Amino acid sequence: KRVEVVIGDGAVYLKKHEDEFDLIIVDSSDPVGPAESLFGEKFFKSAYKSLKKDGVIVTQAECFWLHLKLIKEIADFIKNIFPVVEYAYTGVPTYPSGNIGFFVCRKDNLSSKVPCRKLAKEDKDRMQYYNEDIHKASFVLPSFADRVINKKK
């Protein structure tokens, strides 16, 4: 079985599964109410333990236009858990400010900023939005956000 969709409390679920997943995708609601635990340090530590040695977690990480302080707080502690933490964003016209961000956290020392494989021509021709340049550009942040999230001067 390649994929299992679990509808439930992700924080509770991960505590019961160690060294089990190649990839964890968290498409949560905002970090208040029921989803609050999915933005905390305990959750990311559980996710780290749940991932296999080369595992990756991608998680909703708010919008830098509206929640830069929160993104920085989360980035600061997950950088102490995962060796590679990268923030990316994409346009979603229905979201406030039209953008949503996500963290890509990896246990290996690879970057997600460049696609790991080339798409076949027939796959490229079917794509309506995604392409290699969009992938790379999603990790390029405005200077004000880059300085805060990635602590660049």
Side-chain angles (χ1 to χ4, degrees):
K1 166 163 98 167
R2 293 185 61 182
V3 175
E4 177 183 2
V5 176
V6 177
I7 299 172
D9 187 329
V12 171
Y13 183 83
L14 286 184
K15 288 179 184 175
K16 300 174 185 172
H17 300 271
E18 287 195 14
D19 194 32
E20 193 170 326
F21 304 110
D22 298 309
L23 174 67
I24 298 170
I25 300 172
V26 181
D27 183 14
S28 68
S29 58
D30 291 334
V32 293
E36 187 173 2
S37 67
L38 301 177
F39 291 82
E41 189 170 0
K42 286 181 183 175
F43 173 75
F44 284 94
K45 285 180 178 178
S46 290
Y48 184 91
K49 290 178 184 174
S50 294
L51 288 166
K52 293 180 181 176
K53 68 180 172 89
D54 294 331
V56 178
I57 180 171
V58 180
T59 183
Q60 194 269 93
E62 293 299 323
C63 171
F64 57 76
W65 294 110
L66 303 172
H67 302 104
L68 189 57
K69 182 177 181 256
L70 173 65
I71 295 166
K72 179 196 179 317
E73 290 169 6
I74 296 169
D76 285 350
F77 69 72
I78 59 176
K79 288 176 182 175
N80 292 320
I81 300 168
F82 287 89
V84 177
V85 175
E86 296 168 320
Y87 182 88
Y89 70 102
T90 191
V92 180
T94 57
Y95 276 36
S97 82
N99 292 120
I100 191 66
F102 37 94
F103 281 115
V104 181
C105 308
R106 303 179 67 111
K107 288 181 84 169
D108 57 22
N109 286 312
L110 301 175
S111 174
S112 295
K113 292 181 179 182
V114 176
C116 61
R117 65 183 177 95
K118 298 280 186 190
L119 292 174
K121 182 179 178 347
E122 57 271 11
D123 292 330
K124 286 182 185 180
D125 291 344
R126 286 195 331 260
M127 298 290 175
Q128 298 297 308
Y129 180 81
Y130 180 84
N131 61 53
E132 187 174 322
D133 291 332
I134 287 286
H135 180 107
K136 293 175 188 175
S138 69
F139 291 91
V140 178
L141 304 178
S143 296
F144 77 93
D146 199 29
R147 282 191 294 269
V148 172
I149 297 168
N150 297 313
K151 297 185 179 180
K152 291 189 177 174
K153 296 182 181 193

